[in-house]
Amino acid sequence: MRIVLLGAPGAGKGTQAKKLIEKYGMPQISTGDLLRAAVSAGTALGKEAKSYMDKGELVPDSVVLGMVEERLKQDDCKKGYILDGFPRNTAQAEALDKMLAALNMSLTGAVSVDVPFEDLMKRLTGRRTCKACGQMYNIYFSAPKKEGACDKCSGELYQRDDDKEATIKKRLEVYTAQTEPLMGYYKNKGIVNSVAGTGSIDEIFSKVCAILEGK
Ligand code: AMP
């Protein structure tokens, strides 16, 4: 399977991607995660990206495209991949199509996880992530047993810098203006299906799997 997960920030793409990795064994390519890793490592790319991320704006296409191409060329992507948070605008989607055609690994599908706009704010402001293992929680909907600590590994939970209220508003605006139109892009190609991103994580996951398995 070579798929793109679409959906607004906070729709739960990352959570679904992590479950897809477990079930199907293919890697998740999250441009947000790759950028955050570059920021933590203090690379030149990370420094450039951080100024955009802190404002909730998109990092320039040239930066992101190079990063994705490098990742797609790694051996583990031969068995398939899940793109999460990429593409984010039409220019990226077009560049991705060209890149994948050249690598002979074009997309087999796109799944959009749809969540009502009103719910996204609470999902994003409540989001907490484990520093050690990446497990995600939400203080409103799926709180850890002990405040601030991961249930799985006891690692420290943190709130992403860009999950603060002002930045979230901007990220949602950017999503509506630049990323939402991608639904039309993939509809034209006839490869996109939508899933309601409300309900339990497992319910959403079974709907995503049913689509991917063509059921
Ligand atoms: P995410 O974790 O996917 O919500 O991404 C966090 C931030 O990283 C976004 O608000 C952007 O600043 C940046 N980012 C992630 N993916 C992309 C992308 N494909 N294109 C441009 N910027 C991105």
Side-chain angles (χ1 to χ4, degrees), residues 37-52:
V39 171
S40 303
T43 63
L45 185 152
K47 283 184 186 133
E48 187 189 351
K50 189 171 184 338
S51 58
Y52 296 94

Side-chain angles (χ1 to χ4, degrees), residues 31-32 35-36 52-53 57-59 64 85-86 88 92 160 162 171:
T31 42
L35 289 166
R36 279 184 288 281
Y52 296 94
M53 294 167 81
E57 290 170 4
L58 294 185
V59 173
V64 178
F86 177 89
R88 270 310 221 269
Q92 288 183 9
R160 278 169 43 174
D162 61 351
R171 288 167 63 206

Side-chain angles (χ1 to χ4, degrees), residues 69-88:
E69 183 162 18
E70 210 176 292
R71 182 65 189 86
L72 281 167
K73 284 180 176 164
Q74 288 172 22
D75 264 359
D76 60 344
C77 293
K78 291 201 176 106
K79 55 187 170 195
Y81 53 78
I82 308 158
L83 289 169
D84 163 14
F86 177 89
R88 270 310 221 269

Side-chain angles (χ1 to χ4, degrees), residues 15-32:
T15 305
Q16 294 300 321
K18 296 229 156 35
K19 290 181 75 71
L20 289 169
I21 302 173
E22 274 172 33
K23 178 159 178 171
Y24 298 107
M26 59 210 184
Q28 166 201 23
I29 304 178
S30 155
T31 42

Side-chain angles (χ1 to χ4, degrees), residues 90 94 97 110 181-193:
T90 310
E94 287 167 353
D97 281 344
L182 286 182
M183 272 303 282
Y185 183 87
Y186 288 113
K187 260 189 195 150
N188 281 340
K189 292 183 176 291
I191 60 166
V192 70
N193 281 287

